[in-house]
Structures are given as C-alpha cells and as structure tokens.
Amino acid sequence: MRKKFNLLSDGLIYLTLLLIVLFIALPFSYILFSSFASNAEYYARGFFIFPQKWTINAYGYLMMNENFMHSYRNTFVLTVCGTAISLAFTLLMAYGLSKRWLRGRRFLNILVLFTMIFHGGMIPTYLVVRELELLDSYWAIYLTGAIFPFLLIIMRSFFASFPMELEEAARIDGCGELRLLLRIVLPLSVPSVVTIALMYAVAHWNNYFQAILYLNNAAKWPIQSFLRQFLLDSDTGMLRSVGGYEYGPPVKMAAVVVTALPLVLCYPFLQKYFNQGMMIGSVKG
C-alpha cells in the first residue's frame, strides 16, 4: 500500500508539473510561431500554434527598421556598462562591509537595510537627477540603479564567510586590501559574482521605466522602452512597409521574441553558476 501511495503521489506531482509547464509554454509557443506567420493567416485563423505557411516577413521588417535596431544597440550599451558599474560598486562596498574591523560597519549595514524597506520615491529621485544635470543621459540610469541592497547583502554575507586564515596569510606576504580582493577573493568567488552579474544584467536589460522617465530623446531609448511604444501603437501609426516587408501583428510577436532572445540564450550557460552562487550566498550568510 505504501508503494502504491508513493507511485500515486509521484504521478500527481508529475501531472501537476506537466500542467504548469503547458500553461507557461503555450503563450510563449503562440508568440514564437505566430511571428513566422503572414498577416493574412494571422487574421484568418486567429489562435494557432504552427503556421500553415512559414515566412520571415516579421523579422525582415524588424531588421530593416532603423529605430528598432538602434534601440537594440542602446540596450546592449546600457546592459554592459550598467552591469559593470553596478558590479564594481556592489563588490567594493560588500567587501568593505564584510570586515568586522571597519568602524561604523553596523551603522552602514543598517543604512543598507533601511533602503530595502524605504525608498526616496520617484519624484524626489527625479528632482535629484535633474539638479545633477543628468537628464537625457545614460548616467541617470547607471547611478540611480547602481546598487541593489538585496544583492549587496548577499555578497557581503559571502565575503564575511571567507576564510580569515587565507586573508591573513596574504597580508603577511605584503598583499594590500585591493590586491587581496582582485587577486585572491574574487577568483574564488566566481559563482557568486556571476550570479550577481546575471541579476544586474537582467535588470538593466528589462529596464524601461527609468529610460522613459530620464531620457527625453527617444533615440536614446533602450529596446524595452521602444518595445512598449511599439506594442501600444496602432497599426495605422506604424509604417506599412519597410524595405518591402509589411507591418502587421506578426511583427509585434517577432519584436517580443527578439527582445527576449539574448537572455534566453545566455541563461542556460550561466545556470550552474546561478544555482551555486545563490546557495553559497544564502547558506554561508
């Protein structure tokens, strides 16, 4: 009876997981395969999974659309530079706050925790950015999202669990704090660093509200801000043809696919670091 009960419970678990996967995969499949359909088939069939006639008209339209490709390049610049800045600030601050001999360490940690609970608000932050003359500049996005307190606490907890004997041996050999961080601590912290970098990269890639708020020039918008405007515009507000490719609902589907594609391709290669890094930061912290 116990064996039958275990088999039944396992079957229910697998069935539930299968239903969840189907529930999640169905919308993604519809978006992906609809992007390869023609406008006529999309309007004629309504909901479908596989198109009867495959075409790359939607992707051709996007590749020929200068505004879309320009915003795509903007996103890569924002993601790479923003992730590098955020990672540098987070690692340096986390390493400093992990040292028990640092004066005022407790007070600074309380301030970091305070920012997780309370935020200055959109309007005060905007006024600060305006007074610093950072409007219509990427620095407004880099600096306002430079450090995520939650990720800072994860890295601080990991650095605090680093073996003191190894650090003391390096100091005896004449290694300074910055050299100790760059040459010894960081190479041994690759999983945690990659995890933090991945989280920052996803946040910068998906950022659209700050771009709309701080960037007045639409030519500087990242792909997410452009995609929002692209999906909200009516068909009559878009160009009917670009380079011989026609605009239509499949173009919107293709825009969603192309926007999500880089993160979808990168995550499988970084998943092992992501899982390992989160376990290190949570258990040892």
Side-chain angles (χ1 to χ4, degrees):
M1 292 295 296
R2 184 177 182 85
K3 185 177 181 181
K4 292 182 179 180
F5 177 78
N6 291 336
L7 291 175
L8 179 61
S9 61
D10 291 342
L12 291 176
I13 292 174
Y14 285 123
L15 179 61
T16 303
L17 292 176
L18 179 61
L19 292 176
I20 294 175
V21 170
L22 292 177
F23 183 77
I24 296 175
L26 187 61
F28 284 100
S29 301
Y30 173 69
I31 293 175
L32 175 61
F33 294 117
S34 295
S35 65
F36 290 99
S38 63
N39 293 336
E41 182 178 358
Y42 183 90
Y43 287 117
R45 298 182 62 189
F47 180 83
F48 59 90
I49 298 298
F50 297 103
Q52 294 177 347
K53 183 178 180 181
W54 295 72
T55 177
I56 60 172
N57 173 80
Y59 294 94
Y61 182 95
L62 294 178
M63 297 301 107
M64 297 298 295
N65 191 314
E66 295 182 0
N67 294 331
F68 182 85
M69 297 306 298
H70 186 70
S71 63
Y72 212 78
R73 290 191 293 269
N74 292 342
T75 301
F76 274 102
V77 173
L78 280 169
T79 301
V80 173
C81 296
T83 301
I85 293 173
S86 297
L87 195 61
F89 286 176
T90 301
L91 293 178
L92 290 174
M93 189 172 181
Y95 182 73
L97 293 178
S98 66
K99 303 305 174 185
R100 296 183 179 180
W101 46 260
L102 179 67
R103 293 183 179 180
R105 172 177 175 267
R106 182 179 178 85
F107 176 72
L108 293 175
N109 282 320
I110 292 176
L111 290 181
V112 172
L113 184 62
F114 182 85
T115 60
M116 291 184 60
I117 304 174
F118 302 99
H119 189 267
M122 180 181 66
I123 296 178
T125 305
Y126 178 85
L127 295 177
V128 171
V129 172
R130 187 185 66 179
E131 292 300 321
L132 294 175
E133 299 182 355
L134 294 178
L135 290 179
D136 210 24
S137 171
Y138 286 155
W139 283 105
I141 300 177
Y142 296 151
L143 297 181
T144 54
I147 296 179
F148 291 178
F150 175 71
L151 301 183
L152 175 63
I153 292 175
I154 291 178
M155 286 306 303
R156 183 206 63 189
S157 301
F158 175 72
F159 287 149
S161 65
F162 206 78
M164 293 296 298
E165 295 79 8
L166 187 59
E167 295 185 10
E168 292 174 358
R171 292 190 181 97
I172 293 175
D173 292 337
C175 187
E177 290 296 333
L178 183 59
R179 187 177 180 183
L180 175 63
L181 174 63
L182 298 178
R183 295 293 185 88
I184 298 178
V185 177
L186 289 184
L188 297 176
S189 310
V190 172
S192 294
V193 173
V194 173
T195 300
I196 300 301
L198 179 61
M199 290 184 174
Y200 276 126
V202 171
H204 283 289
W205 183 272
N206 292 328
N207 185 11
Y208 77 95
F209 181 74
Q210 286 183 313
I212 296 176
L213 186 63
Y214 301 129
L215 301 179
N216 299 321
N217 187 0
K220 295 183 178 180
W221 281 1
I223 188 63
Q224 300 295 346
S225 301
F226 181 84
L227 179 63
R228 174 182 176 273
Q229 195 68 27
F230 191 78
L231 296 178
L232 291 178
D233 281 341
S234 61
D235 292 357
T236 56
M238 302 301 299
L239 296 175
R240 299 303 302 174
S241 178
V242 174
Y245 297 99
E246 295 182 356
Y247 173 80
V251 174
K252 294 183 178 182
M253 303 297 183
V256 175
V257 173
V258 174
T259 302
L261 188 61
L263 294 182
V264 173
L265 294 179
C266 290
Y267 184 78
F269 299 100
L270 302 177
Q271 184 177 7
K272 61 178 182 179
Y273 297 107
F274 181 80
N275 295 335
Q276 185 179 358
M278 289 302 295
M279 290 298 295
I280 292 175
S282 59
V283 175
K284 289 190 177 181

